[in-house]
Amino acid sequence: MGFLSVLSFAHKLVTDRLSAGGIAVDGTAGTGADTLFLAEKAGSRGKVYALDIQEQALQLTRARLERAASKKLAEVELVLGSHHAMLELLPPSCRGKVSAIMFNLGYLPAEGADKALITSPSSTLPALEAGLELLAPGGIMTIVLYPGHEGGREEAAAVETWCAGIPQLTAQCILYRGLQRDDAPYLIALERKKPL
């Protein structure tokens, strides 16, 4: 049978915490796979914000959502901007109300995309801090890390250090990782405990 992939496990964790009518954030829209997943889980009464710094990513996400238009999806707002500015880009009413936030770090895995344009600790760590403010108690943040590309290992180490420093009363953090390949993608997830 095998273990779940890191992306499937992230989706499973979110499924347990994002119910119909909820608010969710895709902090790195990419090709739109997580955005569509969140829109399906939040349903027609929910709201999803999908952020990316690349217009190409938002176009790919928009196209994926349009192909799934027959499904009952949440309202999705596509936001051109960096994940580090989430608190400024999302309405103030979202603070402490978001059920799920997903990050899929690295670079845009699309044809013609600039693979040198990657996420980095300088933007990712402020984004994670913002995510903590946005999460409702019981809400979840998933972070898929890619140590196999240039800069990915450093970003992964910085994210691990940041997560390990969160007080346990604020959030519980877990690590989901295969141990035989140190360059394989892996997942860190945190569940919000009490408000900041």
Side-chain angles (χ1 to χ4, degrees):
M1 184 167 113
F3 294 113
L4 292 174
S5 71
V6 293
L7 296 174
S8 295
F9 190 54
H11 285 190
K12 179 181 180 350
L13 292 172
V14 169
T15 295
D16 294 341
R17 291 159 181 86
L18 176 59
S19 55
I23 302 170
V25 177
D26 184 349
T28 49
T31 63
D34 288 338
T35 302
L36 176 58
F37 165 76
L38 292 169
E40 289 172 345
K41 293 301 168 198
S44 58
R45 294 181 298 115
K47 176 80 177 190
V48 175
Y49 298 91
L51 290 77
D52 209 289
I53 61 168
Q54 297 181 78
E55 182 60 43
Q56 180 185 6
L58 297 183
Q59 290 171 1
L60 291 167
T61 300
R62 186 177 296 110
R64 187 181 292 258
L65 292 168
E66 287 170 358
R67 288 192 300 272
S70 61
K71 299 180 179 181
K72 292 184 179 177
L73 301 178
E75 176 188 352
V76 177
E77 185 172 327
L78 301 177
V79 181
L80 183 62
S82 174
H83 55 321
H84 86 273
M86 276 195 299
L87 289 178
E88 293 79 38
L89 296 170
L90 273 57
S93 60
C94 288
R95 290 187 188 203
K97 301 282 195 280
V98 176
S99 298
I101 301 173
M102 300 186 80
F103 292 100
N104 203 336
L105 302 177
Y107 54 82
L108 178 61
E111 188 176 325
D114 181 359
K115 302 287 192 283
L117 186 58
I118 60 172
T119 56
S120 67
S122 63
S123 62
T124 297
L125 297 182
L128 300 179
E129 289 279 357
L132 263 184
E133 271 196 58
L134 291 167
L135 279 180
I140 190 157
M141 186 184 321
T142 63
I143 311 154
V144 178
L145 300 151
Y146 295 88
H149 68 83
E150 180 138 353
R153 191 173 305 278
E154 293 78 14
E155 181 177 42
V159 170
E160 278 193 46
T161 300
W162 180 83
C163 289
I166 298 171
Q168 288 184 345
L169 290 176
T170 301
Q172 178 181 3
C173 299
I174 64 166
L175 179 71
Y176 182 75
R177 181 177 198 162
L179 296 176
Q180 287 94 345
R181 283 187 42 222
D182 70 348
D183 64 343
Y186 66 101
L187 171 72
I188 294 177
L190 64 87
E191 182 180 51
R192 192 80 172 89
K193 294 300 182 191
K194 66 175 188 171
L196 288 174

